[in-house]
Amino acid sequence: MIIKGADILTPQGIIESGIIEIKDGIITRISPPECGCEGAGRTCGCVDEHSVIDATGLTVVPGFIDIHAHGGGGCDIEDGNFESLEKMCITHAAHGTTGILPATTSPPRGLLLEVAGLFRSYTGRPTSRGAEVLGIHLEGPWLNPKMKGAQPLSGIRRPSIDELDRLIDASSGNIRMVTLAPEMPGALDLIRHAKDSGLIVSLGHSSGTYDQVLAAVDKGATHITHAYNAMSGLHHRNPGMVGAMLSCDRLTVDVILDGFHIHRAAAKILLKCKGKDNVALITDATMAAGMPEGEYELGGQKVIHKDGAVRLPDGTLAGSALTMDKAVRYLVLELGCSLSDAVKMASQTPARILGLDKKKGSVEVGKDADLVLLDKDLQVKATFVCGDPVYVQEGVLR
């Protein structure tokens, strides 16, 4: 397949009205419009062998990678069935997401094992019509109940190496990230075990001190979950988790930029301290993402999607209705970031956090053809996963 006519955002800059050639799901060539090929009526001599998509007037950017989403399209990962997982992936693909880590909350042991088992059965299935599932993110159940946020209190429990091993086995090794509170009894041992098991350890839902966070980093933690939210704050005599997050170069971080979870000034501080290479955009999306306002569920609890936010009945923020394209637009339009920097935080940075940056996260020869076509208003017009069109707005491509 060839995509022609679009501006192409690459790590080296924008190629105007360029050409992307895709074969077997991989980008095989990126070139400017005049590349020296001969042949009247032919595109680089390849028209006879390729499907050609005219994307004139659009911009090609790398597909977005969301490392923290609970649901979308009226579905939740804790529904525990493949159909809900696929609908969630289809919903997010329509907003530019090409890779996703579905995230759990803190359900009872039996349900968590059932959800983990969904990924065992997912292995080997045909490619989803939506975003590619890159693994599972356990946001819990080993959290601090005092910092539960919208997590169900009944499911929060002490860190357990045995339970983690059971979940890894149930998922056929498809758990990729775990969020936990480092100050809880047994947490440091669990962090070391998770790291040795090949998992990315993230810290969150925690009242941990600055020193406790650094102790967790020494054991193998490398990431912070949803910056500023559900964590001990910054004080000049007690820096807390926020202080460690902002000052520790060994920690990457993700952030929810929906206009509700953090103030724009806090977002600017985060970007100034950590930089675009260490901040990943996430949605923390609930089943309300891509859906009209109304009542939904998160972790078995009723949540209300109203005025753009998702909250528990008591007003506590409970995930979001955010999608990755909205987060990118927020960075560009509200915080003044360049499109290149915003897209990097939605694609290349999360790919690097997951250890997938050699094959995903940027538009480069040899990488997966995970691509998004944006119009001048940064609205998603088409999404491709490994070269397959998983979303195309009607009447856009010729």
Side-chain angles (χ1 to χ4, degrees), residues 20-356:
I20 300 177
E21 181 180 305
I22 300 165
K23 184 175 181 181
D24 298 328
I26 305 296
I27 299 170
T28 55
R29 184 162 60 91
I30 303 171
S31 66
E34 297 85 16
C35 58
C37 289
E38 302 295 335
R42 300 166 70 85
T43 303
C44 303
C46 297
V47 139
D48 293 340
E49 301 174 5
H50 293 76
S51 169
V52 179
I53 293 175
D54 185 351
T56 300
L58 302 177
T59 299
V60 178
V61 301
F64 307 144
I65 297 174
D66 188 356
I67 60 177
H68 187 151
H70 297 281
C75 296
D76 188 290
I77 181 179
E78 289 177 17
D79 292 343
N81 60 74
F82 178 77
E83 290 72 26
S84 285
L85 176 60
E86 185 172 62
K87 187 171 182 181
M88 170 185 173
C89 292
I90 290 169
T91 297
H92 285 282
H95 297 275
T97 297
T98 57
I100 197 165
L101 282 191
T104 64
T105 58
S106 299
R109 286 179 175 82
L111 178 55
L112 191 55
L113 279 168
E114 180 183 335
V115 172
L118 172 64
F119 289 79
R120 179 192 294 272
S121 60
Y122 182 86
T123 303
R125 279 184 175 268
T127 302
S128 168
R129 291 173 292 149
E132 179 183 358
V133 174
L134 303 174
I136 187 172
H137 177 173
L138 299 177
E139 191 193 11
W142 308 300
L143 311 174
N144 188 327
K146 295 179 181 179
M147 304 294 283
K148 69 181 184 66
Q151 291 264 352
L153 181 62
S154 61
I156 294 175
R157 41 198 182 267
R158 287 193 171 191
S160 168
I161 290 174
D162 179 68
E163 185 175 15
L164 176 59
D165 285 344
R166 288 173 181 268
L167 291 166
I168 292 172
D169 181 66
S171 72
S172 292
N174 283 312
I175 295 173
R176 188 171 288 270
M177 177 178 281
V178 57
T179 293
L180 53 80
E183 72 274 18
M184 300 307 291
L188 294 182
D189 289 338
L190 183 59
I191 289 170
R192 173 59 65 187
H193 183 75
K195 178 181 181 294
D196 291 344
S197 300
L199 276 61
I200 300 158
V201 180
S202 187
L203 307 177
H205 288 273
S206 165
S207 61
T209 65
Y210 177 89
D211 290 335
Q212 286 172 329
V213 173
L214 294 190
V217 171
D218 287 339
K219 290 293 185 180
T222 59
H223 192 68
I224 296 286
T225 293
H226 44 52
Y228 298 108
N229 295 120
M231 63 181 65
S232 49
L234 174 66
H235 185 276
H236 58 283
R237 286 190 294 272
N238 182 17
M241 180 171 282
V242 170
M245 171 188 77
L246 295 175
S247 64
C248 180
D249 292 339
R250 290 184 286 170
L251 285 168
T252 54
V253 61
D254 58 56
V255 62
I256 311 165
L257 293 183
D258 61 353
F260 300 102
H261 277 79
I262 65 173
H263 192 280
R264 68 182 62 192
K268 289 182 177 180
I269 291 168
L270 180 70
L271 295 176
K272 186 175 287 290
C273 290
K274 303 301 291 184
K276 60 183 180 294
D277 293 329
N278 295 301
V279 177
L281 302 183
I282 60 167
T283 64
D284 199 9
T286 66
M287 58 169 55
M291 298 293 288
E293 294 189 347
E295 291 187 3
Y296 297 93
E297 287 190 0
L298 174 65
Q301 305 169 105
K302 182 175 80 170
V303 296
I304 301 166
H305 176 204
K306 184 179 180 181
D307 298 329
V310 179
R311 302 177 186 272
L312 296 175
D314 66 5
T316 301
L317 283 169
S320 79
L322 186 64
T323 51
M324 289 292 282
D325 58 335
K326 291 181 181 178
V328 168
R329 288 195 293 273
Y330 186 92
L331 266 177
V332 174
L333 302 177
E334 299 293 331
L335 299 183
C337 284
S338 67
L339 177 61
S340 176
D341 286 352
V343 167
K344 186 168 191 176
M345 286 182 269
S347 54
Q348 191 171 359
T349 299
R352 182 172 58 81
I353 289 169
L354 295 179
L356 298 175

